[in-house]
Amino acid sequence: MITLPHLSNPLWFLAAIAILFAIVFGRYLFVAGLFYLVFYCWFPRQWKNRKISERNYKPAQFRKEVYWSCVTAFIFSVAGAITILLWQRGLTKVYTDINQYPIWWLPISLIISLLLHETYYYWLHRWMHRPRIFRLVHKVHHDSNITSPWTAFSFHPLEGLLQAIFLPVLLLFFPINLYMLLLQLVIMTLSSVINHLDIELYPKKFHRHFIGQWLIGATHHALHHHQFKFNYGLYFTFWDKWKKTESPQFESLFKEKTEFIPGNKK
């Protein structure tokens, strides 16, 4: 059983925010930094033909992305501290004893949570692309017309807040094991960095398989940043396919980028 100081004490609540901020922002810096080093510093030639955009990044873009990601990490940390407080008061469905629900519920609950998150984000994302909303809420993220690993958490505070409220609200009524929840948070970070990498990592064969057809990668999301009116998904493509908002250029661009096998001379 995990025992934490009760966050009803204001000092412990502030301490929890500080600790969570160090974890969230540190995780972002580690994952985004690792991907940047591997694909942009250590092995850029091997992945050159997998790069989606050929233009250079804007001056100071990375610094701005890290700044906004720092703000987002703080918002996520406050949301996390509130969630822990609700959990301590018995107001959430998060559980730690794996025997509290059948073992099969562990992976199923994670899948359902990801699908619910996908649904929430898809429709939120489409709403944020309405002109007036876009300028106020979503423009900061799209200032990165060419995405990078550092773009992953680069949001205006209002968008960060809209993203941060999903899990705390879901956990009020949806039972999920604590470690499945932590795994989802890791998946969120990895997925966001991969999708914003602007280098296609997935092989051509993977996209032909059932799972691969439904996963979003760098090509899919780079087209969203270039075209604005397509590809609104977060993890999966099923809403884009169903609502016919997937870019008509996706298939051809994906094939073009995956013709090249990283590491081969061309």
Side-chain angles (χ1 to χ4, degrees), residues 75 128 136-137 155-164:
I75 294 170
M128 288 192 298
L136 178 64
V137 178
F155 308 123
H156 185 278
L158 289 175
E159 180 174 356
L161 179 61
L162 290 170
Q163 294 206 37

Side-chain angles (χ1 to χ4, degrees), residues 25 28 32 60-73 75-76 121 128 137-161 163 192-193 196 221 225:
F25 192 54
Y28 157 78
Q61 176 177 322
F62 297 163
R63 185 166 65 249
K64 291 178 182 177
E65 290 172 338
V66 173
Y67 167 78
W68 288 116
S69 296
C70 180
V71 175
T72 299
I75 294 170
F76 285 2
Y121 184 79
M128 288 192 298
V137 178
H138 198 44
K139 182 181 179 298
V140 164
H141 188 64
H142 272 275
D143 283 343
S144 301
N145 183 251
I146 303 173
T147 60
S148 78
W150 307 108
T151 316
F153 280 9
S154 181
F155 308 123
H156 185 278
L158 289 175
E159 180 174 356
L161 179 61
Q163 294 206 37
S192 189
V193 170
H196 290 93
H221 196 64
H225 278 256

Side-chain angles (χ1 to χ4, degrees), residues 8 16 43 68-69 96 106 114 118 124 126 154 166 194 201 222:
S8 56
F43 307 106
W68 288 116
S69 296
T96 56
L106 292 174
L114 288 171
E118 176 68 36
L124 172 67
R126 288 191 64 171
S154 181
F166 171 77
I194 289 171
L201 298 186

Side-chain angles (χ1 to χ4, degrees), residues 111-264:
I111 293 170
I112 293 175
S113 183
L114 288 171
L115 293 175
L116 290 173
H117 193 192
E118 176 68 36
T119 300
Y120 171 78
Y121 184 79
Y122 175 85
W123 291 103
L124 172 67
H125 199 176
R126 288 191 64 171
W127 175 75
M128 288 192 298
H129 271 264
R130 294 183 177 183
R132 290 183 180 178
I133 304 300
F134 179 87
R135 289 191 292 271
L136 178 64
V137 178
H138 198 44
K139 182 181 179 298
V140 164
H141 188 64
H142 272 275
D143 283 343
S144 301
N145 183 251
I146 303 173
T147 60
S148 78
W150 307 108
T151 316
F153 280 9
S154 181
F155 308 123
H156 185 278
L158 289 175
E159 180 174 356
L161 179 61
L162 290 170
Q163 294 206 37
I165 63 175
F166 171 77
L167 278 177
V169 172
L170 177 68
L171 298 177
L172 294 175
F173 61 87
F174 184 77
I176 188 169
N177 182 268
L178 174 62
Y179 297 104
M180 291 297 100
L181 176 60
L182 294 176
L183 178 57
Q184 180 169 351
L185 294 174
V186 172
I187 290 172
M188 286 168 58
T189 302
L190 284 173
S191 173
S192 189
V193 170
I194 289 171
N195 294 348
H196 290 93
L197 186 61
D198 203 54
I199 294 173
E200 184 54 64
L201 298 186
Y202 296 135
K204 183 189 294 185
K205 290 183 178 180
F206 178 73
H207 183 62
R208 294 173 183 168
H209 294 166
F210 176 76
I211 296 178
Q213 292 179 14
W214 302 101
L215 284 182
I216 290 174
T219 304
H220 197 273
H221 196 64
L223 283 170
H224 172 74
H225 278 256
H226 294 169
Q227 299 174 324
F228 284 59
K229 60 181 181 180
F230 297 111
N231 300 0
Y232 296 102
L234 180 63
Y235 310 109
F236 310 111
T237 63
F238 65 86
W239 275 111
D240 279 313
K241 292 181 187 300
W242 184 16
K243 304 307 294 183
K244 302 187 186 304
T245 55
E246 189 168 59
S247 172
Q249 295 182 19
F250 169 64
E251 293 291 342
S252 61
L253 184 59
F254 182 84
K255 289 179 182 178
E256 175 190 333
K257 293 303 173 182
T258 54
E259 284 294 332
F260 177 76
I261 300 174
N264 284 7

